[in-house]
Amino acid sequence: MASRNEYAESWKQRSNKNPRSQSPRSNAWETVKHANVCRVRELPNYKVMEYREFGKTGWKVSEIGFGGWQLGGTWGNVDDSESIETLLYAFEQGINFVDTAMLYGAGRSETVIGKALKQWTGNDIYVATKVPPSVWNQQEDINAPMRGRYNAVYMRQEVEAALKRLDVECIDLLQLHGWYH
């Protein structure tokens, strides 16, 4: 398997060989409607995906991540196969960081991302997901106590459920999903 740097270099080389990416007159603003989202296929002066260090992890994550909220169907009907195709397209473009949560479609977003990860044969994709508090009846109270909302038993259950939905062995980044002002 190629390293992330080798992948970025090979992507640079492929982009430079594409005659359409050389011409400012190419279909610069061709858009494709996909999973209720429009994405730009080509841009003038096309640039390779850039990566940054993710804290002290040693990970090189894409500067553009994929937010998975819309994959859960919260905003209307979403076709899972189109969502998977969109994710795979994003991965092909060099996006290697995906954000999701159990609350995005009651776990549907995580499940769809898990299916896309199973189909992906390229470099590693880093997945961030979130666990909601076990009790949150004071969403408007910015001073609501957090103690007891993320107890060990609850967290273990939520992490195991997320691992199953994502169909992965580990979660790269686990976040506490709260609404703080």
Side-chain angles (χ1 to χ4, degrees):
M1 181 178 283
S3 72
R4 285 190 177 79
N5 289 338
E6 290 169 334
Y7 178 79
E9 191 56 39
S10 71
W11 181 252
K12 243 185 241 181
Q13 291 170 358
R14 285 193 310 251
S15 296
N16 290 338
K17 290 179 186 175
N18 180 353
R20 291 180 68 197
S21 67
Q22 304 296 318
S23 168
R25 295 177 162 260
S26 65
N27 296 324
W29 299 107
E30 177 186 349
T31 58
V32 179
K33 186 162 175 21
H34 231 352
N36 298 328
V37 176
C38 286
R39 66 175 182 241
V40 176
R41 179 156 283 176
E42 291 184 40
L43 294 172
N45 303 319
Y46 180 74
K47 195 172 169 183
V48 173
M49 180 64 66
E50 293 191 19
Y51 299 86
R52 293 183 185 209
E53 292 276 332
F54 191 83
K56 296 179 181 180
T57 63
W59 304 345
K60 296 279 191 188
V61 298
S62 52
E63 288 186 345
I64 299 172
F66 190 104
W69 193 353
Q70 73 280 11
L71 304 180
T74 306
W75 303 105
N77 293 334
V78 177
D79 182 306
D80 289 350
S81 62
E82 286 185 1
S83 295
I84 291 167
E85 186 179 327
T86 301
L87 280 159
L88 294 172
Y89 180 84
F91 300 161
E92 289 170 4
Q93 304 313 305
I95 291 175
N96 70 353
F97 187 82
V98 180
D99 175 74
T100 187
M102 186 283 289
L103 290 177
Y104 300 170
R108 181 177 175 190
S109 173
E110 289 176 323
T111 301
V112 169
I113 290 167
K115 290 177 181 177
L117 292 172
K118 284 296 176 204
Q119 292 181 29
W120 178 244
T121 58
N123 290 339
D124 291 341
I125 304 296
Y126 299 106
V127 179
T129 193
K130 304 173 201 75
V131 173
S134 59
V135 178
W136 191 263
N137 55 4
Q138 302 161 323
Q139 292 182 18
E140 300 304 317
D141 183 358
I142 61 172
N143 297 313
M146 290 292 107
R147 184 169 298 234
R149 294 181 192 266
Y150 298 99
N151 67 66
V153 172
Y154 172 75
M155 289 299 292
R156 181 178 301 276
Q157 291 169 346
E158 290 299 311
V159 168
E160 288 174 358
L163 289 167
K164 188 177 279 189
R165 286 188 296 268
L166 289 162
D167 198 11
V168 295
E169 293 182 18
C170 72
I171 294 170
D172 298 307
L173 174 63
L174 182 68
Q175 302 164 87
L176 303 180
H177 204 177
W179 298 264
Y180 309 104
H181 300 269

